[in-house]
Amino acid sequence: MSELDDAALLELLDLTFDALCASRVSDWVDPDRVLAAVDLALTPARVMDWHARLVVPMRTRLLARAAKSRTRLGAWLPAEATASLTALLGQPVHLPRKAIDEMVASEQVRETVRTTLQETLSSLVSKVIAGAPGAGSGGLRDALSWGARAAASASKGILGGLGGSLQDRVREVIDGSMALVQRRIAERLASEESARSLGAQRQKVFLSTLEKTEADAAQALNRVPHEQLDSLTPHVIAHNLTRPEVREGLKAELHAVLEDLSRHTVGELLDQAGLRDATRQWLHAHGLPFARSLARSAPISAWRARPAG
């Protein structure tokens, strides 16, 4: 067999590349084997190792670089994208009515409304007592027979000093008003005015974010508990890979993507990406040294020295 010089090796690489371009992705990818490979590659120990070797150092470098930058975050978006997103985010935000009703009906909201009503009523009654005729000369007892008791216990809250029957009546009024107040809160949250207000606020937050610098963003990201999240990531991945519904979803998506990509040859996909010539040049630059060393290796030399037939 003749010596494989660089010209021969380049010709061999080009023939191999052309054969690869004429094939389809489905000739090289089997979804079931992909899932098996994922199971092997994404064990917690391996994920932790790759995460520590690649992700953590890259994150550290990027944050350190950003911390010194005065570039505004708005520089990451072209003017057309900024204008489009500004208009989009400024549109009214309509909250789901079901979510509003569930939130307003929650015990936390009921307690807040109840407390607010009680405090408002207490304040109102206190002001009425304070402004009643003769309030400063002992005439309060003549104006409101229960006023003295209420004023004397003001530090404990107005309801605590009104007496049993009146206290119960006030509580009844408050409880009876709850439904009306909650309904009005829900209507306000679902109103067009609230939707416009939320949209305007969202737009304002977006525009103010674009004015922040990369250093501001790095400072905010540095407050994220990376160490805790890093330790959880491998276990979260491993956990989800064991879930049947996740595996079925991954398998279905692999089949769907493979079916779509395999409508074209590898070469056509490279053409669509504008990468056929660049890939061939990469193969010449990096494949030739590998092919050269491979051709001169002992196993290949022994194989080429075998008698024909």
Side-chain angles (χ1 to χ4, degrees):
M1 185 177 294
S2 61
E3 184 69 21
L4 290 175
D5 56 14
D6 283 0
L9 289 174
L10 281 174
E11 183 180 5
L12 179 60
L13 286 174
D14 281 335
L15 290 173
T16 303
F17 180 69
D18 291 337
L20 174 64
C21 287
S23 66
R24 298 179 186 275
V25 177
S26 57
D27 296 333
W28 302 94
V29 179
D30 180 349
D32 292 331
R33 292 184 182 273
V34 170
L35 283 176
V38 167
D39 289 335
L40 292 172
L42 297 185
T43 61
R46 290 191 173 101
V47 172
M48 181 68 77
D49 181 58
W50 287 110
H51 188 73
R53 289 172 59 185
L54 300 178
V55 177
V56 174
M58 180 176 65
R59 182 181 66 210
T60 302
R61 292 191 299 268
L62 290 175
L63 289 177
R65 188 177 298 118
K68 303 174 183 177
S69 173
R70 306 314 302 170
T71 302
R72 297 181 187 276
L73 295 179
W76 287 81
L77 294 175
E80 298 81 1
T82 299
S84 178
L85 287 172
T86 300
L88 176 65
L89 295 174
Q91 293 178 2
V93 179
H94 294 93
L95 300 175
R97 185 64 196 221
K98 182 179 179 181
I100 291 175
D101 291 340
E102 290 178 352
M103 178 183 68
V104 172
S106 68
E107 185 56 38
Q108 293 89 337
V109 173
R110 285 184 59 84
E111 184 59 32
T112 299
V113 172
R114 184 184 292 109
T115 301
T116 301
L117 287 174
Q118 179 174 321
E119 291 176 350
T120 301
L121 184 58
S122 297
S123 176
L124 175 62
V125 174
S126 296
K127 290 178 181 178
V128 170
I129 293 172
S137 59
L140 178 58
R141 185 178 293 106
D142 297 331
L144 295 171
S145 61
W146 46 270
R149 297 198 307 275
S153 60
S155 62
K156 297 184 295 183
I158 194 67
L159 293 184
L162 292 182
S165 61
L166 186 55
Q167 183 176 340
D168 292 341
R169 178 55 182 159
V170 171
R171 287 203 175 98
E172 289 177 6
V173 171
I174 291 175
D175 290 339
S177 302
M178 291 293 294
L180 176 61
V181 173
Q182 287 177 289
R183 184 168 64 251
R184 288 182 176 175
I185 291 175
E187 290 173 353
R188 180 62 182 269
L189 290 174
S191 69
E192 191 65 30
E193 179 183 356
S194 293
R196 289 194 299 268
S197 177
L198 288 171
Q201 185 63 29
R202 183 175 63 177
Q203 183 187 69
K204 182 179 179 181
V205 170
F206 171 69
L207 293 175
S208 65
T209 300
L210 295 184
E211 290 299 313
K212 296 184 180 299
T213 66
E214 292 177 343
D216 295 329
Q219 186 177 15
L221 289 173
N222 274 324
R223 289 196 290 267
V224 175
H226 294 295
E227 293 78 8
Q228 291 88 332
L229 296 178
D230 289 345
S231 64
L232 291 174
T233 299
H235 302 287
V236 171
I237 293 175
H239 164 75
N240 284 286
L241 285 177
T242 62
R243 295 171 54 201
E245 61 271 25
V246 172
R247 298 184 69 82
E248 287 301 318
L250 285 174
K251 187 175 180 179
E253 287 304 311
L254 283 170
H255 278 288
V257 171
L258 189 62
E259 180 181 358
D260 180 77
L261 292 178
S262 296
R263 294 172 183 170
H264 306 278
T265 64
V266 173
E268 290 170 339
L269 293 174
L270 289 173
D271 288 336
Q272 292 171 14
L275 293 175
R276 186 192 285 255
D277 291 339
T279 304
R280 187 187 295 274
Q281 292 169 10
W282 176 88
L283 186 61
H284 284 184
H286 299 279
L288 179 58
F290 172 76
R292 187 187 296 138
S293 63
L294 181 64
R296 295 172 181 172
S297 67
I300 297 299
S301 296
W303 174 75
R304 291 173 57 218
R306 289 185 309 173

